[in-house]
Every structure is written in structure tokens, then in C-alpha cells.
Amino acid sequence: MTTTTSREKTTTTTTSREIRLAARPVGEPVPEDFTSATTEVPAPGEGEILVRNTWMSVDPYMRGRMNEGRSYIAPFELGAPLEGAAVGEVIASRAASVPVGATVSHFLGWREYAVLDAGAATVIDTSLAPPEAYLGPLGTTGLSAYAALTRTAPVRPGDVVFVSAAAGAVGSVAGQLARKLGASRVIGSAGGPLKTGKLIDVFGFDAAVDHRQGRLAEQLDRAAPDGIDVYLDSVAGDHLEAAIGAMRADGRIAMVGAISTYNATEPVPGPRNLFDAAAKEVTLRGMAVSSHLDLFPEWIAKAAPWLADGTLRTETTVVEGIERAPDALLGVLRGANTGKMLVRLGEPR
């Protein structure tokens, strides 16, 4: 931190490293699509706070923001720092509502320090859970699972539920939540024996499908011989097609993500059996978590006690240092994580 004094004013600036978008990827992103920079962050103005970020999140949706074009969220700007969820410690404040020393969550990740309006930050209760939990089970990933299975494709008692990317941040919570909502059987898909084993042994799924073994529809049929009622889709492609094929009448599908398509360089075909959804009167409904932020208090009130008593189990995959944040994002897109992928930027001082 540097302070400059003159007869007219006193200013304080903070040196911060940040990760910027250097190029728009074609297909799978590469490290050269990112660049690091050191910048001077000014002291906060009236109504602003200065946050020293300690944790940041990387998420599959960020791949879409690296492209140009209209979507439900604006693309990242070339030459500018990326954005995403982060938590950190307030080290300077000119807002009475957010004091120095508070721990907050906000959306200016991908940098070590951030100045932002106090209204754009949320003070979090670290007595309920560690700060990083507010980027995972108590953050938008946990909220995504909750909104998907209570609003978008609501689980009813006795339902058979299928969850794709089930060893990831959203899927691992969704499988456990489905059980709490009354599902009679919960099936998850993941890649490789280590992850499929964790679905059953750690996260409490009844059965696991290994998408790396192929024949996804056949595997799902064996796991759910009488069909499924609810599918949480984070993958699209062959997973969505298999789920439609296994759906029972009046089934519900929450379309939360489509990670299998994010690096595509050509138009991606839809499921070949889409009309089966019409014949079975299946509902396919998209879900953007930003439309369900009103559920946050309700979700945290439920999830925090579950985390505390161990009935909601989570895992994290942690990468150390801002300079490795691009590696963390590339890892998420390749399925390198179990549970939530986080970047640790430093501990509070």
C-alpha cells in the first residue's frame, strides 16, 4: 500500500495483481488467452469499500463469457480483468453499513484487491460457516441446486432423480438435496471410478453412471429400470438425450448448464429424441440462478445447519495463488475438480 501526501490531498493506493482476458478462445481455452497485470487500486470513495480478496470462484459459465455475443450475462471485455464471485476482508470503508474487518462476498474476483460500492457486497456470517463456503454450498452453486429442484424441476416425494456432473459443485449438493426433498432414488453421472465411487460413498447417491465408459443410455437404464422423474442437466448432449429417453410421464428437466458444448466450434445438434419429451408430456425448463436470488435467505437458513451437523457433505478442490486462476478455470472445464473449484488468494491479516 502506497500513500502520497500533498498540500491539497492525501491519497492511498494499493498494488494489486489481476487476471485479464487477452484473447477470445477458439474451441478449448489455452493459457495464452489470459494475461496477468499489476495495477494500482485507489482508496475507496464515498459509499465504497476496499476488499482484500481471500478466495475466488471459477465456474463453467465463465467459458461462455469469454466469447463475444449476446447472452444472459455480458461477455468479458478484452484487456479487462475477468469477474466472478469472491470473498474477502474489508480493509478500508467509507460506508457505514460495511465496517472495516467485515467479511463480504461480491462479484469482483480475479484480482487481489477490489474497490466497489458497498451495496454490491454482502456481509457474510462466518460463525455459520467458513468464508469459502459462501462460494460453494452457501453461494450461487448451492443456490442453483436448490432453485433447480424446488422451482424449475421440483422434486416430489417418491421421485427418481438423475443428476449430471454429479461430482461437481452444483451436482454434489443437488444429489443430497434431492434425498432431503423426498426422492426415492438418486442417480448421478461423473467421469471415472474415483468420482463415481465418491458419489455413492461420500455424497450418498444410490447409483452412479460413468460417462467415460460410454453407452450412457444403457447405463442409465440399468440404474433406473423403471425410469426417472427429474433430471438436473449441467452437461447437455448425450446426457440430455439419455435423460429424455429414461423420462417417465410428467417428468421435469432443469436445464442448468451445457458444459459438453462450451468449447464447440460448430453448431451443436439437439437431442435426437426431443419429440419423446412431447409424447411423455415432459417439461424442459431453463434456469439462470440470477433469477432466483430471492431464495438465498431461505437456502442459507436450511443449508448452514446441514453443513454444521454433517448431513450436507461437500468437497473442494483448491488452487493456490491468483497467478494460477486460469489453470483452475481450465481444470473445471476439463472436469479436474471434485466439488467446488476455488482459488485461495491469501488468508485475512
Side-chain angles (χ1 to χ4, degrees):
M1 187 175 294
T2 303
T3 302
T4 303
T5 305
S6 70
R7 293 182 180 179
E8 297 178 353
K9 62 180 180 179
T10 300
T11 60
T12 302
T13 57
T14 300
T15 301
S16 175
R17 292 181 297 169
E18 62 187 27
I19 304 298
R20 299 175 179 176
L21 183 63
R24 300 205 182 276
V26 177
E28 184 175 352
V30 295
E32 291 74 23
D33 294 326
F34 306 86
T35 188
S36 63
T38 300
T39 186
E40 297 295 328
V41 179
E46 188 65 32
E48 293 182 330
I49 57 175
L50 173 61
V51 181
R52 178 177 174 267
N53 289 335
T54 53
W55 294 89
M56 58 165 274
S57 172
V58 295
D59 302 281
Y61 82 88
M62 293 176 175
R63 174 62 186 87
R65 294 194 69 189
M66 297 176 76
N67 298 333
E68 283 188 302
R70 296 177 60 184
S71 184
Y72 69 96
I73 188 170
F76 294 131
E77 295 182 17
L78 280 174
L82 285 75
E83 299 172 340
V87 296
E89 178 189 10
V90 177
I91 61 172
S93 174
R94 294 190 62 190
S97 59
V98 185
V100 169
T103 302
V104 297
S105 63
H106 60 89
F107 209 64
L108 290 183
W110 293 88
R111 65 205 81 191
E112 293 177 308
Y113 293 84
V115 170
L116 63 151
D117 289 337
T122 300
V123 177
I124 60 177
D125 186 352
T126 57
S127 69
L128 290 178
E132 62 269 27
Y134 289 85
L135 298 176
L138 300 186
T140 54
T141 49
L143 182 65
S144 294
Y146 187 64
L149 297 184
T150 60
R151 278 187 175 172
T152 309
V155 174
R156 302 167 186 161
D159 279 346
V160 176
V161 177
F162 176 42
V163 178
S164 63
V170 174
S172 59
V173 172
Q176 298 170 80
L177 178 59
R179 179 81 70 210
K180 292 178 181 293
L181 293 171
S184 63
R185 185 167 175 80
V186 184
I187 303 154
S189 74
L194 179 61
K195 286 187 177 182
T196 54
K198 283 192 173 185
L199 292 188
I200 296 170
D201 299 335
V202 177
F203 300 125
F205 285 71
D206 296 294
V209 171
D210 186 349
H211 65 78
R212 292 182 182 171
Q213 296 300 313
R215 303 183 305 280
L216 193 66
E218 295 178 19
Q219 292 189 64
L220 182 56
D221 184 61
R222 289 195 296 271
D226 297 322
I228 63 175
D229 300 287
V230 172
Y231 171 49
L232 190 155
D233 186 21
S234 295
V235 176
D238 60 347
H239 281 70
L240 181 55
E241 185 170 299
I244 290 173
M247 275 281 155
R248 298 197 280 219
D250 193 34
R252 283 93 57 207
I253 298 177
M255 302 173 72
V256 178
I259 195 169
S260 69
T261 73
Y262 290 164
N263 292 328
T265 56
E266 300 290 339
V268 177
R272 295 170 296 180
N273 59 347
L274 188 58
F275 185 74
D276 288 355
K280 298 175 183 179
E281 298 185 296
V282 171
T283 299
L284 293 86
R285 186 178 178 188
M287 196 212 79
V289 71
S290 56
S291 297
H292 302 277
L293 299 181
D294 62 297
L295 286 177
F296 246 138
E298 178 181 319
W299 168 240
I300 290 176
K302 292 176 183 290
W306 292 339
L307 284 174
D309 67 19
T311 59
L312 178 60
R313 303 187 68 178
T314 62
E315 288 200 10
T316 56
T317 302
V318 177
V319 170
E320 300 283 350
I322 185 71
E323 67 280 0
R324 294 195 59 205
D327 295 335
L329 178 56
L330 299 183
V332 163
L333 297 174
R334 295 169 184 156
N337 58 301
T338 299
K340 181 68 180 177
M341 177 73 87
L342 294 174
V343 180
R344 179 160 40 202
L345 305 183
E347 297 297 331
R349 291 171 180 168

